[in-house]
């Protein structure tokens, strides 16, 4: 039971103190599960993050599910989901009840404009961390893919499917066995 409570509390803290959406949560989740808790190593976290990105739904929620499942199975996944979702749910509920009339408030608008650069930094930080150790050609492919998504508006889902097929073909060409 202690392990489930640890998972719940860790993701409750992550959900409560992260602003800026799912991508802004990634460096905080990464620090919590790799550095602080030592639940995962860098490579495993990178694999889970890739899977979370490819799965439908918010990346922060998917990452929480995969980390929780990796630690304690289905109950761990449920504990992580509850922890990461509960703060947002409560905050949105309070905003809907008490602060709906404040959306045009200049002070609230100024606070959100002030937070915007920090949110961008929280999104860029895991990208830089994941790029460490990658060959420069893969970084170039990642940059080109980002530009294709941004400039041409192509869905990342299609690019992920193409990348998976290319990865499988490359592994087959190199004679490596793809692990299950």
């Amino acid at each position: 039971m202690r392990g489930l409570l640890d998972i719940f509390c860790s993701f409750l803290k992550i959900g409560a103190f992260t602003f800026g959406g799912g991508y802004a949560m990634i460096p905080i989740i990464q620090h919590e599960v790799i550095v602080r808790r030592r639940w995962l190593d860098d490579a495993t976290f990178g694999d889970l993050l890739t899977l979370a990105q490819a799965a439908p739904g918010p990346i922060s929620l998917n990452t929480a599910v995969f980390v929780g499942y990796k630690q304690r199975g289905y109950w761990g996944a449920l504990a992580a989901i509850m922890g990461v979702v509960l703060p947002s749910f409560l905050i949105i509920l309070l905003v809907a009840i008490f602060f709906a009339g404040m959306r045009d408030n200049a002070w609230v608008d100024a606070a959100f404009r002030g937070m915007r650069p920090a949110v961008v930094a929280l999104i860029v930080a895991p990208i830089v961390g994941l790029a460490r150790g990658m060959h420069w050609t893969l970084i170039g492919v990642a940059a080109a893919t980002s530009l294709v998504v941004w400039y041409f508006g192509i869905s990342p889902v299609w690019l992920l499917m193409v990348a998976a097929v290319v990865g499988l073909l490359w592994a087959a060409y190199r004679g490596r066995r793809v692990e299950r």
Side-chain angles (χ1 to χ4, degrees):
M1 186 64 173
R2 178 68 182 157
L4 292 176
L5 186 59
D6 287 342
I7 292 169
F8 174 79
C9 289
S10 289
F11 281 98
L12 182 73
K13 179 178 69 174
I14 290 165
F17 294 105
T18 305
F19 297 95
Y23 286 100
M25 286 183 171
I26 300 304
I28 297 168
I29 294 172
Q30 184 177 22
H31 178 52
E32 181 73 13
V33 304
I34 294 173
V35 177
R36 188 163 181 272
R37 297 288 184 165
R38 300 186 200 282
W39 286 336
L40 303 173
D41 59 23
D42 286 321
T44 304
F45 184 78
D47 292 343
L48 290 180
L49 193 58
T50 301
L51 186 59
Q53 176 65 39
I59 190 168
S60 59
L61 185 62
N62 292 345
T63 304
V65 167
F66 295 140
V67 170
Y69 183 80
K70 184 90 171 145
Q71 290 306 298
R72 298 289 301 234
Y74 292 113
W75 290 110
L78 183 62
I81 289 170
M82 295 304 291
V84 81
V85 168
L86 189 61
S88 298
F89 173 76
L90 293 176
I91 290 168
I92 290 170
L93 184 63
L94 288 173
V95 167
I97 292 171
F98 296 109
F99 300 111
M102 294 183 70
R103 76 173 169 218
D104 294 328
N105 184 305
W107 292 99
V108 173
D109 186 52
F112 281 116
R113 275 188 279 131
M115 284 190 279
R116 207 171 287 152
V119 170
V120 170
L122 288 172
I123 292 170
V124 170
I127 294 169
V128 171
L130 287 172
R132 282 193 199 127
M134 286 177 66
H135 193 271
W136 66 270
T137 55
L138 293 177
I139 293 172
V141 168
T145 303
S146 298
L147 287 174
V148 165
V149 169
W150 174 72
Y151 187 75
F152 293 109
I154 295 174
S155 172
V157 173
W158 293 111
L159 296 173
L160 284 169
M161 288 191 296
V162 168
V165 169
V166 168
L168 290 169
L169 291 173
W170 180 254
Y173 171 76
R174 301 277 293 173
R176 296 180 183 158
R177 208 180 93 196
V178 178
E179 294 181 28
R180 294 179 195 213

